Structure formats: structure tokens, C-alpha cells
Amino acid sequence: MLNVPPPAFPAPGSQQRAAAGARSKVPLKPGRSLMDWIRLTKSGKDLTGLKGRLIEVTEDELSKHNKKEDCWICIRGFVYNVTPYMEYHPGGEDELMKAAGTDGTDLFDQVHRWVNYESMLKECLVGRMAVKPIAAPKEVSPTVSEDKKQLNGVLPEKKVLASSKDLTPSYDWFQTESLITIVIYTKQKDMNAELVIVDCQDKQLRGEIIIDDHSYLVEVDLDHAVSEDVAVNIAEKVGKVEIILNKKDNIHWKMLGQPLEGHNTFIKRTDRGLFYRKCKLVSKTEVTHDTKLFCLMLPKGTHLCVPTGQHIYLKQIIAGTEVVKPYTPVLPFLPLDFKEPPRQDGVHIYLMIKIYSHGLFTQALDQLQIGGTGFTPMVKLLNFALTEVSCLRTVKLIFFNKTEDDILWRNQLEQLALKDERFEVQFILSQPSKDWVGKQGKISSSLLSEFVKRSRRDSKVFICICGPAPFTEQGVQYLKDLGCSQEEIHAFTA
């Protein structure tokens, strides 16, 4: 279990685009950290100077507040008094002053569109920008052309003449007894997996195609339930993308589903809102004294391959405030043979992050508990048992996973078993492939009974169990059913 809201991923962002609007951080005065700002926003102090009132701000009024000691900025139609935030801004006062007394939306998007300013500046909200008066329409000639005649009292929709070669993507779908296939015609050559992002959770399908600086989206609330297994096929040369879903029930669908807000739109990527995914932290490995390699697992039903040189965003809720940071994924190890490019498994994201002693975000990230297999506590325990316990006879590791791809450190564990005759490892899969020859199934009394055996009735045993809460609770009960006492069982719990 994660002890804070888990990190989540939006679609990858362009590292080049981020660099184009990059600004260097400036040293902040003592007592001006992000945590200090969060404390100030929760102190009840009036940060707007309006004693809690919200006002409508005209352009003329906004322009008057353009000094460091009196600085208002408009972002997406909302006006904030950023004067109290000046000394807390990592980019320095000069960066904020570039938008003083003006609409700073474009500047904000260039530098850090990913920041949740609504959460960071919610106590600084002055009000909304006043709506500009709309000029009265010119008098219409009594003679109305044929294409302006009303149909049932409504003007017909304006027609847009298509160009000789319309490059706007389109989609279609078809079904078999057990499958739903959504076909997206991108009308682009050289389409590849890094340009296709698919998410399918809780009956909601989101398929995004990246085409240069534009984004095409298929987003629907599916008519019926589908399984978590999603397949993506790409005909690279013709630019056709297939998203294949497995029906949970073999029934005929009358429609694909209800379109959601962004469905069937083709817009600039900068205008597309960020989309986050809940991920699990499955391992955390020390690289140096202050740097760690984090392995995060994408949710089932997600297809996401982050292109080289691009980044993702992590989001955490810290002290009630949403904090977002960009990070560039890395390889899980440095390959010794560079003849073939390393391939992503499409399941895990690796991030190498330096943990700063006063860094609010990285400290919170470092404190995240492993939310995957429960294997991490066993690593140090194995090392301790095999090196420190002199009277030890045998150590058995029973490692439950869904698939072979989920097994962490498989090679190392198998090598350890060959090296040390006291150590034995058994992998058990609940969703094995047809080629798997090992044990399979979920944790049960019968499975455990094969491995939890005493050499003599008076033999001393100590059994540690770790994993998701239901797994751990079931395991403890099965062990008791097999005759293990409470003193012989230790369950790792969050």
C-alpha cells in the first residue's frame, strides 16, 4: 500500500519543448521553501488583500497592479495576487514580474504548463476577469442567401470545404463474438508505438495518437465491460492503428459507447489537458548515497512507451497541495552491448532521482512504500539470514507473481540458489503463459503445504510474509491452518 496518493503519469511531454521555456532556479531565502509556502497558505492569513472577497477585474484594473509590492497576474481568466508568493517562487521574482499586471497564460504555458497553479495559488485568488462587451451585430440585409435559410428555426451548420488531401485522422470500429477492434486511420506514414498511447480502465477507453505537435483522441465510455488486456497493433507504413479489446461477456454491442469530452478531436498538444495514471511503486534501489532508481508499474490496460529524450510528470498530494515534477525515464541498467537498441517492456517506468535533504517532493517520493509484490523487505532479510544466522539450515523463498515478466531479480535469485545450497527459490504464477513449466496458482493452503515442511517435529521455523493486504491476511490464515503458531509467523504490514 502507498502511504500517500500514488504517483501518476500523463502523456509524455516533449523535453525540447520544456527546454525552450526553461528557467534556472534561484537560491531561496531560509524559510521560503515549498513546504513553508504550503504552511503560509494554510495559516488563515489574507493573501489577497481583499479580506476574502472575490471581485471582477477589468483589464484597466489588472494593469495597475504591476509592481513587486503589488503584483496581480491573470492565468486562464482568473486573477491572482502573487505578491506574497514572490519570495517562494523557484524561478525568482524576475520571472513573475514578466507577467505583472497582464495576462500571463502564454508565458505560464511556455515555462511550466504542468504546474497546478490552481492548487498552489488558491489562497491568492482575487477573482475572475471581466467579460469584454460584445459589439452589436451589423444589420443584416433583408435578402438572405439560400445557404442562410433556417431549417426548423435553426441556421444550418457551416460547411467546411475539405482540402484535396484531408490529413485529419478518423476512426471506425467493428466486433466479433469476443473482440472489439477500434481502428484509427492516422493518414500518416512511419507511425510507431511511441506515438500511440492507450488507456482502458473501468469501461473508459482513451486512445491518443501523437502527430507532430498535434494530438488526435478517441475517448468513449464503453457500452459494455471489457477485460484489462489491451492489444495494440500498428501498421507503420500505412499509419493504421488497431486497439483490440476483449469483451467480458460475449454479447453483441449496438454501439461502441458514449463519447466523452475530448472524443474525436484533433488539436495542438499544448491545448490537450494532461492525463494522469495511478501507478504502483514496485522497487526502490540505491544507486549512490543520495540517488535511487525507482521502478513504477503502469496500470493494466495502459499502452505507453516514452520516447527517448522525453519526460513524464509525477504528481503527489503533499499537505493537501498538489505538487507536480517532470522526470526523464532511464533504462533499468546500462547495457554493455550497444549493438541493438534497448526495448521498453511497456509495463515499467524507471526513474533515477536524487533525494535532496530539504527537497519536499523527493523526500515524499522516497517515503513511498512498495505497492507491488512485497519482495523488497525480503531482500535484506535474505541477506541477513544467509550471512548472519550461523545455525541456519535452509531458507526458502516462495515468490508469487502474475506472469514471468513480473518476477523481480529472477536471474539473481536463481544464481543465488546455485551458489548457496542453503537457499531455495520457488516461483509461482497466477497467470502463466502456455510455455511455463513451473508451479502455478494463487496462494492457498495446498500450495503452501508443499513447501512449508519441518524436517523434525521440534524443528524451529520462522516464516515471513509480505504483499497486498488480502494476500498477507490469507497467507497468515493458511499458515495457521497448517499448524504454524503465531510466534512463528511475521507479517509485513503497512
Side-chain angles (χ1 to χ4, degrees):
M1 297 291 290
L2 300 178
N3 61 0
V4 299
F9 287 102
S14 167
Q15 190 74 357
Q16 293 179 339
R17 185 174 70 244
R23 83 276 193 272
S24 57
K25 290 187 176 182
V26 300
L28 297 175
K29 297 177 182 178
R32 296 296 184 269
S33 68
L34 175 58
M35 193 67 238
D36 292 316
W37 171 250
I38 291 174
R39 290 194 190 100
L40 178 60
T41 63
K42 297 182 182 302
S43 67
K45 186 176 180 180
D46 178 17
L47 301 183
T48 65
L50 299 176
K51 298 181 179 180
R53 293 183 298 117
L54 292 178
I55 63 173
E56 191 174 63
V57 183
T58 63
E59 285 188 0
D60 183 56
E61 179 65 25
L62 176 64
S63 66
K64 296 176 182 177
H65 301 271
N66 61 355
K67 302 178 181 64
K68 284 186 179 181
E69 61 275 9
D70 180 20
C71 182
W72 290 9
I73 293 176
C74 174
I75 304 177
R76 292 191 176 86
F78 290 91
V79 178
Y80 299 89
N81 180 358
V82 298
T83 310
Y85 184 57
M86 283 283 179
E87 293 186 350
Y88 297 84
H89 186 233
E93 297 177 355
D94 291 342
E95 284 294 320
L96 287 178
M97 288 305 298
K98 290 179 181 179
T102 68
D103 188 328
T105 304
D106 289 342
L107 182 63
F108 175 84
D109 285 344
Q110 290 172 19
V111 179
H112 37 30
R113 182 175 67 95
W114 42 271
V115 172
N116 188 338
Y117 63 91
E118 297 103 323
S119 178
M120 293 287 291
L121 299 176
K122 59 186 176 183
E123 298 302 325
C124 299
L125 180 63
V126 171
R128 189 189 293 269
M129 283 296 293
V131 178
K132 293 181 181 179
I134 301 174
K138 295 180 179 179
E139 187 175 342
V140 181
S141 169
T143 305
V144 181
S145 60
E146 285 298 314
D147 65 343
K148 292 292 184 183
K149 287 183 178 178
Q150 293 188 351
L151 299 175
N152 296 327
V154 180
L155 285 173
E157 184 178 331
K158 183 180 180 181
K159 295 181 179 179
V160 178
L161 294 177
S163 63
S164 58
K165 188 177 181 182
D166 185 4
L167 296 180
T168 301
S170 61
Y171 83 99
D172 199 355
W173 72 283
F174 60 88
Q175 63 182 308
T176 64
E177 185 179 355
S178 60
L179 300 175
I180 294 291
T181 301
I182 297 96
V183 183
I184 301 175
Y185 304 96
T186 69
K187 304 176 185 177
Q188 302 287 324
K189 294 182 180 180
D190 301 323
M191 183 59 51
N192 62 66
E194 293 180 347
L195 303 175
V196 179
I197 304 166
V198 177
D199 295 277
C200 188
Q201 280 97 31
D202 301 323
K203 282 185 61 183
Q204 291 197 351
L205 172 70
R206 185 183 190 275
E208 184 176 9
I209 308 295
I210 306 301
I211 301 174
D212 296 326
D213 61 348
H214 278 67
S215 157
Y216 176 72
L217 190 65
V218 171
E219 189 176 32
V220 293
D221 187 2
L222 296 169
D223 204 34
H224 298 281
V226 295
S227 69
E228 293 179 327
D229 300 314
V230 177
V232 177
N233 293 334
I234 302 171
E236 297 185 3
K237 293 183 179 179
V238 297
K240 185 175 72 172
V241 176
E242 292 182 344
I243 303 171
I244 303 170
L245 311 174
N246 293 281
K247 296 179 178 178
K248 275 198 173 178
D249 300 304
N250 294 343
I251 58 177
H252 183 79
W253 290 26
K254 294 182 180 179
M255 58 186 296
L256 180 61
Q258 294 294 330
L260 298 175
E261 184 179 356
H263 178 61
N264 200 25
T265 56
F266 186 50
I267 61 176
K268 285 189 175 182
R269 291 179 67 186
T270 52
D271 295 333
R272 182 80 71 196
L274 297 180
F275 183 80
Y276 287 91
R277 301 155 182 88
K278 290 184 178 180
C279 301
K280 285 184 179 179
L281 176 63
V282 295
S283 68
K284 192 168 46 174
T285 309
E286 288 190 2
V287 179
T288 68
H289 68 285
D290 64 354
T291 302
K292 296 185 180 180
L293 182 69
F294 293 81
C295 177
L296 297 153
M297 182 182 290
L298 293 167
K300 284 280 190 180
T302 291
H303 168 93
L304 171 62
C305 298
V306 183
T308 302
Q310 295 197 10
H311 59 256
I312 49 85
Y313 301 113
L314 292 187
K315 178 174 72 174
Q316 297 187 92
I317 307 298
I318 301 175
T321 298
E322 186 178 285
V323 184
V324 183
K325 296 285 185 181
Y327 291 99
T328 303
V330 298
L331 297 173
F333 55 87
L334 186 65
L336 301 179
D337 185 355
F338 290 95
K339 292 180 181 179
E340 292 187 10
R343 296 180 180 178
Q344 300 183 52
D345 63 8
V347 177
H348 300 95
I349 298 284
Y350 293 88
L351 302 170
M352 193 176 293
I353 299 174
K354 183 182 288 290
I355 310 300
Y356 294 95
S357 58
H358 299 293
L360 183 63
F361 192 90
T362 57
Q363 284 292 327
L365 188 63
D366 190 35
Q367 291 170 14
L368 289 176
Q369 298 300 305
I370 302 301
T373 61
F375 172 63
T376 304
M378 302 303 180
V379 177
K380 289 186 177 180
L381 195 60
L382 283 174
N383 181 67
F384 174 79
L386 293 171
T387 58
E388 302 292 333
V389 184
S390 58
C391 62
L392 184 76
R393 292 193 182 94
T394 59
V395 176
K396 295 181 181 180
L397 175 66
I398 308 171
F399 203 169
F400 288 87
N401 286 280
K402 287 185 178 180
T403 68
E404 285 186 78
D405 291 336
D406 296 322
I407 302 175
L408 298 172
W409 283 8
R410 179 178 179 178
N411 290 336
Q412 291 94 321
L413 291 170
E414 289 175 337
Q415 289 295 322
L416 180 60
L418 291 173
K419 181 181 177 182
D420 194 322
E421 61 183 12
R422 298 173 300 164
F423 177 65
E424 176 187 336
V425 61
Q426 184 71 52
F427 302 114
I428 303 176
L429 303 183
S430 60
Q431 297 177 10
S433 66
K434 60 181 180 181
D435 300 323
W436 176 250
V437 295
K439 291 285 183 180
Q440 54 183 285
K442 295 185 177 181
I443 189 169
S444 65
S445 180
S446 59
L447 264 177
L448 292 178
S449 66
E450 296 182 41
F451 308 107
V452 183
K453 295 179 180 178
R454 302 174 192 263
S455 57
R456 301 193 312 267
R457 282 191 176 184
D458 60 345
S459 294
K460 292 183 178 181
V461 297
F462 186 60
I463 304 172
C464 297
I465 183 168
C466 185
F471 173 91
T472 304
E473 291 168 5
Q474 288 179 337
V476 170
Q477 187 56 53
Y478 292 145
L479 290 169
K480 289 181 178 179
D481 293 342
L482 292 171
C484 297
S485 67
Q486 183 66 51
E487 290 73 27
E488 294 174 319
I489 304 171
H490 176 76
F492 290 93
T493 56

